[in-house]
Amino acid sequence: MNGLSYRAQKRIVLALFMTVPLLLLGLFTYYPAVKLIYMSFTDWDGLEANPRGIGWSNYAEVFRNPDLFGVFVHQIPYALIGIAQNALAIVFAVILNSKLRGRNGFRVLMFLPFIMNAVAVAFMFQYVFDTANGSLNLLLKAIGLERLSHTSWLGNQALVNFSLASISMWRFMGYNMVIYLGALQSIPADMYEAAKIDGAGRLQTLFRLTLPNLTKIVQLNMFLTLSGALAVFDLPFALTKGGPAGASETFLYKTIETAFQFNNFGLASAMSVVLLVIVVLVLGAQNLVIGRGGREE
């Protein structure tokens, strides 16, 4: 090293520091991804040492079979309620960023559901949504909504996905709120003082100052929300097992079922690749829309 120039020594040191992370990244991320794509073109059953290549048959099956690709319809409520979840998170972040008494306690209460185990949350809401003795139906009965108090929230095919999505909303809204709260606190107070001197009201300050400065954070939170909506699995698995009559099955649920219950790992690999491509497309469209909105502002 003594005979090398400073630039050459710098490059060697950087290369040495980068070697291990790049090896780990390649070994545990890119190699499995390439292997997954390769397996998606085979009929591998999870046991065969030399699976047979079948071309694009698995991908054709994914798009032709409504029992596989059609379950994306079940995930629309998660996306819709996820958008409402972010809107509410912004509202609570703005409120808890003000000089409200006890705001730290409220922040903890809002964030608490996020740190709870997903299975524990699922079992807890099993008692909330219970038709006969659930706390939700008891509340509806207590306030005089007798007809609604007999609703089977997890047994009705039209309601089950909205019920499950509402649990996701309860669990993740505090997490989104904390991210928005951090972004709000990074906005210089001088800007609010200047807006106040210029005579801007609260709504004008919110829509012309606060929200434009949150554009990048909205993109981040919507990325987390939509990717979570496309890959939801734990709540349907723990609460309904995909029922009633398959109404709460999701694409990831079907993927895992295809792989581990029906031993069709080739088809499941193709479903995983399709899910990955859809996530990239949806998030690309989302970033384009929100990013353009931010630039217009």
Side-chain angles (χ1 to χ4, degrees), residues 46-252:
L47 300 172
E48 182 67 37
N50 298 305
R52 184 170 57 94
I54 56 173
W56 294 90
S57 297
N58 286 328
Y59 289 95
E61 175 69 13
V62 172
F63 290 105
R64 270 203 308 253
N65 190 342
D67 289 337
L68 298 180
F69 199 72
V71 294
F72 271 117
V73 175
H74 302 162
Q75 293 168 239
I76 292 175
Y78 293 93
L80 295 177
I81 291 183
I83 294 171
Q85 167 188 318
N86 274 273
L88 276 175
I90 292 175
V91 171
F92 280 111
V94 171
I95 293 172
L96 295 180
N97 193 44
S98 63
K99 295 176 181 177
L100 181 71
R101 181 176 294 180
R103 60 182 179 178
N104 289 334
F106 287 116
R107 290 173 184 174
V108 172
L109 286 176
M110 295 289 291
F111 187 71
L112 204 56
F114 176 70
I115 63 176
M116 294 178 69
N117 181 274
V119 177
V121 169
F123 278 105
M124 187 172 73
F125 273 88
Q126 196 171 25
Y127 295 104
V128 172
F129 287 126
D130 184 77
T131 306
N133 300 307
S135 54
L136 177 58
N137 280 350
L138 289 176
L139 174 65
L140 292 171
K141 187 176 182 180
I143 61 177
L145 300 173
E146 184 69 30
R147 292 182 64 184
L148 283 177
S149 68
H150 300 293
T151 305
S152 176
W153 301 99
L154 298 177
N156 186 309
Q157 294 185 34
L159 294 176
V160 62
N161 290 310
F162 287 96
S163 301
L164 294 172
S166 68
I167 301 174
S168 293
M169 180 179 179
W170 174 84
R171 188 174 172 218
F172 291 107
M173 189 178 67
Y175 176 71
N176 294 138
M177 184 204 71
V178 168
I179 297 177
Y180 287 127
L181 200 55
L184 285 173
Q185 292 177 353
S186 69
I187 301 175
D190 295 350
M191 296 177 69
Y192 286 102
E193 290 177 9
K196 191 175 180 181
I197 291 171
D198 290 342
R202 290 185 176 180
L203 285 178
Q204 284 179 310
T205 304
L206 176 65
F207 286 105
R208 294 187 177 276
L209 176 59
T210 303
L211 292 182
N213 280 285
L214 291 180
T215 302
K216 294 295 180 185
I217 305 303
V218 170
Q219 278 183 294
L220 171 66
N221 270 329
M222 286 306 299
F223 169 86
L224 298 172
T225 302
L226 291 181
S227 59
L230 288 168
V232 65
F233 168 74
D234 49 2
L235 286 174
F237 178 77
L239 270 174
T240 62
K241 293 287 186 293
S248 63
E249 288 180 337
T250 64
F251 195 72
L252 187 57

